[in-house]
Amino acid sequence: MKILILGTSGQVGTELMRAAWPLGTDLVGLARPDVDMARPETVEAAVAKHAPDLVVNATAYTAVDKAEGDREAAFAVNRDGPARLAAACVARGVPLIHISTDYVFDGTKPAPYTEDDPVAPLGVYGASKEAGEAAVRAALPQHVILRTSWVYAAHGANFVKTMLRFGREREEMRVVADQHGAPTAASDIAAAIVAIAGRIAETKDTGSDAPWGTYHFTGTGETTWHGFAERVFQRLETATGRRPRLQAIATADYPTPARRPANSRLDCTRIRAAFGIEAPRWEDSLDRVLDELLSSPAS
């Protein structure tokens, strides 16, 4: 099976390229400038050139606050690019796995969000990702949209690496404690995509239909950004003896250009039922990534 992965310079894309794929899988990974969602002609050219059996889109405009003043760029990458990609996949009869986000919801629901809950993004980033989802659904029946949350890895820019840096530099940290969600390791997302791709390959071989549609996938369990930081600082103290004082604050005490959902919890029942996929507990995956980061002198 030949799989084209777009966005290999990002957290999930990097993990997809180093994931444990089945023997015989032919991976083609592309990052900028080879493929740029803001330049649709490069998207179509990549699909035409490599003629894959499956495309995985791990690209996105993810600068949540910057997007508030950069709407055109966010929609170009998160809506228009996926729309052209889906059209290119339709033309060649190729299925698509597309990664999306908890930010398509407004966070007012008191329980975890299911895939069927109405979307109501709070800002430009969430709106552009929701528009990308809609474009993929409208153009390409053979798709899997994978919503996830609070993504981090040992590489790239993310909350975990920021907390480690601040934990070494500062005596006190103030972190929001009234936004709830599930941290999700990029490597766990990659493993889920490997499993989904395997199911797609099986159904192609047998002539049956794959379980297409939208699915939620996050680390198992839940916490707040404050709880997330606390876990990072516990490990930092064990490794280095450094641990800043951690103060819990409300969202209102930390204003940002973009509003964040207070509830980012996603119900992952559907992906377990359809694919047998369940993520590790978020604490276990975080510990694994921290082992890598804390053992590296450059981290």
Side-chain angles (χ1 to χ4, degrees), residues 20-45:
W21 291 90
L23 188 66
T25 303
D26 180 9
L27 288 186
V28 178
L30 298 178
R32 287 195 208 177
D34 297 314
V35 63
D36 183 351
M37 283 290 165
R39 296 168 53 222
E41 68 277 7
T42 68
V43 176
E44 294 164 342

Side-chain angles (χ1 to χ4, degrees), residues 68-87:
E68 293 301 303
D70 201 15
R71 181 182 180 89
E72 184 176 345
F75 272 82
V77 174
N78 292 343
R79 178 194 62 192
D80 302 341
R84 295 290 285 270
L85 175 59

Side-chain angles (χ1 to χ4, degrees), residues 227-266:
F228 195 2
E230 188 170 43
R231 183 80 174 192
V232 172
F233 292 152
Q234 286 172 354
R235 289 295 311 276
L236 178 65
E237 182 180 32
T238 299
T240 69
R242 285 276 308 172
R243 182 170 182 169
R245 295 183 299 276
L246 185 58
Q247 180 182 352
I249 62 171
T251 298
D253 296 324
Y254 188 73
T256 56
R259 295 170 60 200
R260 268 72 170 170
N263 175 25
S264 286
R265 296 174 297 159
L266 301 179

Side-chain angles (χ1 to χ4, degrees), residues 102 150 177-182 222-225 261-266:
D102 57 294
W150 297 17
D178 57 357
Q179 294 174 22
H180 299 262
E222 63 180 77
T223 188
T224 64
W225 290 110
N263 175 25
S264 286
R265 296 174 297 159
L266 301 179

